[in-house]
Amino acid sequence: MNSVVLAVVGVAMMVLGYVLYSRFLARRVYKLQDSFVTPAHELDDGVDYVPTNKYVLWGHHFTSVAGAAPIVGPAIAVIWGWVPAFLWVTIGTVFFAGVHDLGALWASSRHKGKSIGSLSGQYIGHRGRNLFLVVIFLVLLMVNAAFAVVISGLLVNTPTAVIPTWGAIVVALLIGQAIYRLKWSLPLVSVIGVAALYALILVGDRFPVVLPETVLGLSANAFWIVVLFLYAGVASVLPVWLLLQPRDYINGLQLFIALGILYGAVLISAPTVVAPAFNDSLPEGTPSIVPLLFVTIACGAISGFHGIVASGTSSKQLDKEPDARFVGYFGAVGEGLLALGAIIATTAGFRTIADWEAVYSAFGQGGVSAFIEGGAAIVNQGLGIPDGLSATILATMAILFAATTMDTGIRLQRFVVQEAAHIIGFSLNKALATVIVLAVAMGLTFGAGGDGSGGMLIWPLFGTTNQLLAGLTLSIIAVILLRKGRPVLPVLVPLVFLLVMSVYALIVQMGEFWAAENWLLLVLDVIILIAAVWVIFESAIVMSRAKKSPPDLDEDVMEGAAPGKRSSP
C-alpha cells in the first residue's frame, strides 16, 4: 500500500466531515445561533471568561486537547495492523469526536460555561455528579502525571528540543501582549510568532542542552518533571489571555506547519507502508483487538478529555455560538490529522517489515519515539531535511503539545478541586487549590516511583477511563437534546458504542490486573467500573423520562442569555 493513498483518503474524509456533517450538527442538532449571548460576554472577568477570536480560541482548544496522546495511541495500536487503526481514526473523528467535542462546547456555553461535571449534577443528579467528578479527577491526574514523565523523557533524549520548548513560553508572552495590549493584527502576530518559534528550533538544533546526570540531587528526568509541574502551576493561575491562549494558538499554527511538512514529504516521496494491513503474527501477550483498539486510540478518534477542556476553558472564551463549530468540530479534525500522520509515520517510516517488527516486538512498543524516528525518515527522504533537524521539529511539536495539555490540565483539575470543595461546604481560592493539585500529581509521580516514573503507574487505565468519560459526556448531551426535543441519534450511536467498549475493556483489564497481582490498578479499576455503571443507569433513567416529557423550549430560549436578549428556539 502506498502511503499517499492513506493520506489522501484520510484527509478527504475528515475535510468532508467538517464541511458536511458538522454543518448538519450545527443547524439541525445543536442549532447554533449568532444572537445567543455567550458566557464570555455575559460573565467577562478578564481572567477565565474572555471573548476570544475564533482562530485564537481554536488554537487554544486544539493544542490543549492534542498533547502526545494522538501520537502515542495510534503509534501503539498499529501493532494490530494499519487498517483497523486507520478506520477507527477516520470514522471516529468524523462521527464520534466531532459530535462529542462540539456538543460539550455547546452544552457548556448554554449553561454559563459550567463544566461537564456540574452539568451532570443538573441533569443526572447529585450522586451522578459526585461519581462523575471522581472519573474526571482521575483522568486529569493520569494526564498531568504521565505527560510530565513523557515530556521529561523527550527533553532528555532529544536535547535539541530544550531551547525551542522553553523559548516558546517567551514567544507566547510577547504574542499575548501584542494581541491584547498593543492590538496588533492577528496575521502579523501569527507570522512573527511562527518565525520566532522556528528560529528557536534552528537554534536548539545547533545548541542542544544536555543536563548532567544529577541536578540539585535529582536525576535529569526528575529535575525536568519538577520544573514542568512548577511551570504548569504558575501558568494555570495566570489570565488565559496572558500565556495560555497565545501559547496554544502559536503551537496550533506550528503543528499545522509540521503536519504540512510531514504530509508534503509523504506526497513527494510516496513511501510504501511496510506494516501489515492486518497483523496475523502478533507478539506473545498482545491483547485482543476488541475492545483494546478503541481505548488504545482515544485522542485522535474520540476522547473524554476533550469534553473537560471544551466545558472547562473553551466555553468560557467563546465569542459567538456559531464559532463552536470551528473550535469544537474542526479541533477534532486537527487531532484526527495528527493521529493519521502518526499512523503513516509508524507504518511507512521503516525501510522493511523486519525493521518495523524489531520496534513492534511487544504490545506497548512504538509510541512517540517510533513516530519521531519514522516521521524524520519520511521528511528526510521527501524534503531533504537532515534527519537530526527533522527529529528536532517533530520532537518539539510533541513536547509543546504535551506541555500545553499540562497547562490546561492543571487548570482544569484546579476547577474540579474547587468544585468538590464547594460541594462539601467550603471554598478554596485558586492558589490553594492549585497547590493541592500539584501536591497530588507530584506525590503520585515521585511517591509511586522514586525516580519520577510513578506518573506512568496508572497510565494503563487512562485509555479506558478516558473513553468511558467520553461516553458519559455524550449521555449528558443526549439528555439535554431530549429535553429540547432535538434529534438525538447522532449522539446515541457513539454513546452506546463507547460505553459498551469501555466497560468491556475495564472488565478485561480487571482480569489482567488480578493475574499480575497489581492491586492498586485493580482497586482503581473496580472504583471506576462501579462509578461508571452507576452513572450509566442513572443517565438511562433520566433519558427515558426526558423522552416521554414534552420539549422544554423555554430552556432553549433563555439559557445563558443576557437580560433583554433572547435567541429564537
Side-chain angles (χ1 to χ4, degrees):
M1 168 66 73
N2 193 301
S3 57
V4 173
V5 176
L6 288 185
V8 171
V9 173
V11 171
M13 288 178 65
M14 295 182 200
V15 170
L16 286 174
Y18 176 72
V19 172
L20 300 177
Y21 194 54
S22 74
R23 183 178 300 169
F24 162 76
L25 295 172
R27 291 181 177 178
R28 297 290 304 278
V29 178
Y30 301 124
K31 296 187 178 180
L32 306 182
Q33 301 172 33
D34 189 64
S35 59
F36 179 78
V37 180
T38 63
H41 288 282
E42 183 186 2
L43 304 173
D44 187 356
D45 61 5
V47 179
D48 294 317
Y49 292 85
V50 180
T52 304
N53 177 285
K54 72 176 183 178
Y55 298 105
V56 176
L57 181 55
W58 172 84
H60 154 69
H61 178 79
F62 170 46
T63 54
S64 293
V65 302
I71 297 174
V72 174
I76 292 175
V78 293
I79 196 169
W80 286 299
W82 63 261
V83 169
F86 174 80
L87 291 176
W88 176 227
V89 164
T90 51
I91 295 173
T93 295
V94 174
F95 297 106
F96 287 62
V99 174
H100 171 274
D101 295 13
L102 172 55
L105 184 55
W106 163 78
S108 178
S109 178
R110 283 274 164 171
H111 294 80
K112 301 182 183 294
K114 289 182 180 179
S115 71
I116 207 70
S118 295
L119 293 181
S120 66
Q122 180 173 340
Y123 284 96
I124 297 178
H126 295 307
R127 287 192 304 271
R129 174 198 60 194
N130 296 341
L131 294 169
F132 210 102
L133 287 176
V134 169
V135 176
I136 291 175
F137 184 86
L138 287 174
V139 167
L140 291 171
L141 179 61
M142 293 174 194
V143 168
N144 293 330
F147 276 22
V149 177
V150 171
I151 297 169
S152 68
L154 288 172
L155 289 173
V156 170
N157 297 327
T158 317
T160 53
V162 173
I163 288 178
T165 294
W166 296 107
I169 297 173
V170 178
V171 174
L173 289 169
L174 294 175
I175 288 176
Q177 296 295 322
I179 293 176
Y180 287 98
R181 291 289 175 83
L182 302 179
K183 305 298 182 182
W184 287 11
S185 69
L186 189 60
L188 175 62
V189 172
S190 303
V191 171
I192 294 175
V194 169
L197 189 56
Y198 274 89
L200 287 170
I201 290 176
L202 294 174
V203 172
D205 189 62
R206 183 77 181 273
F207 302 101
V209 177
V210 181
L211 294 182
E213 289 188 11
T214 59
V215 182
L216 301 177
L218 299 171
S219 67
N221 284 84
F223 174 78
W224 281 131
I225 289 172
V226 172
V227 172
L228 284 163
F229 273 121
L230 292 177
Y231 157 73
V234 173
S236 71
V237 297
L238 294 176
V240 290
W241 66 267
L242 184 62
L243 178 59
L244 191 66
Q245 274 186 8
R247 176 177 166 86
D248 291 354
Y249 173 65
I250 204 66
N251 282 344
L253 294 178
Q254 182 261 150
L255 170 66
F256 261 76
I257 292 173
L259 282 178
I261 292 173
L262 178 59
Y263 280 108
V266 168
L267 293 176
I268 292 172
S269 62
T272 300
V273 176
V274 299
F278 297 93
N279 193 359
D280 297 325
S281 303
L282 292 169
E284 186 178 352
T286 302
S288 171
I289 188 173
V290 178
L292 269 299
L293 170 70
F294 304 103
V295 298
T296 301
I297 301 180
C299 301
I302 182 171
S303 165
F305 180 70
H306 295 198
I308 307 175
V309 175
S311 65
T313 60
S314 301
S315 64
K316 297 176 176 63
Q317 303 168 57
L318 195 66
D319 183 32
K320 298 177 181 178
E321 191 175 55
D323 292 350
R325 178 189 172 207
F326 181 77
V327 175
Y329 196 100
F330 193 64
V333 168
E335 184 154 278
L337 291 174
L338 178 55
L340 177 61
I343 291 172
I344 293 173
T346 53
T347 57
F350 297 88
R351 293 192 177 164
T352 66
I353 182 64
D355 292 337
W356 184 85
E357 289 177 340
V359 172
Y360 287 89
S361 58
F363 182 72
Q365 300 298 309
V368 176
S369 60
F371 167 74
I372 293 174
E373 179 185 346
I378 292 174
V379 171
N380 173 256
Q381 181 182 353
L383 302 178
I385 299 176
D387 280 338
L389 180 56
S390 299
T392 299
I393 292 173
L394 295 177
T396 301
M397 178 183 74
I399 291 171
L400 289 180
F401 285 111
T404 53
T405 299
M406 273 191 71
D407 292 358
T408 305
I410 295 293
R411 184 183 290 260
L412 291 170
Q413 199 166 13
R414 184 244 298 173
F415 290 158
V416 172
V417 169
Q418 289 178 298
E419 187 171 345
H422 179 73
I423 292 171
I424 296 172
F426 63 94
S427 62
L428 286 176
N429 61 42
K430 61 183 180 181
L432 182 55
T434 301
V435 170
I436 293 173
V437 168
L438 292 177
V440 173
M442 293 180 72
L444 171 65
T445 304
F446 289 99
D451 59 350
S453 63
M456 302 305 295
L457 186 67
I458 61 176
W459 185 251
L461 274 173
F462 169 76
T464 308
T465 310
N466 189 44
Q467 298 302 70
L468 178 64
L469 179 58
L472 297 178
T473 298
L474 286 168
S475 70
I476 294 172
I477 296 171
V479 171
I480 297 173
L481 291 173
L482 285 169
R483 290 270 295 266
K484 296 176 180 297
R486 304 277 185 84
V488 75
L489 190 61
V491 174
L492 281 180
V493 171
L495 184 164
V496 172
F497 182 85
L498 283 174
L499 290 182
V500 169
M501 287 299 167
S502 55
V503 170
Y504 183 11
L506 278 171
I507 295 172
V508 170
Q509 288 181 313
M510 191 184 302
E512 294 174 353
F513 298 149
W514 176 273
E517 298 184 353
N518 193 329
W519 309 124
L520 173 62
L521 290 185
L522 179 63
V523 170
L524 287 174
D525 193 311
V526 171
I527 291 173
I528 293 168
L529 181 60
I530 292 173
V533 172
W534 197 329
V535 174
I536 289 169
F537 275 119
E538 295 210 17
S539 299
I541 293 171
V542 172
M543 278 190 274
S544 177
R545 291 173 181 168
K547 188 175 181 180
K548 297 175 183 177
S549 303
D552 190 355
L553 296 180
D554 288 338
E555 187 178 316
D556 183 40
V557 171
M558 291 302 295
E559 284 166 3
K565 297 217 176 184
R566 296 171 65 92
S567 43
S568 57

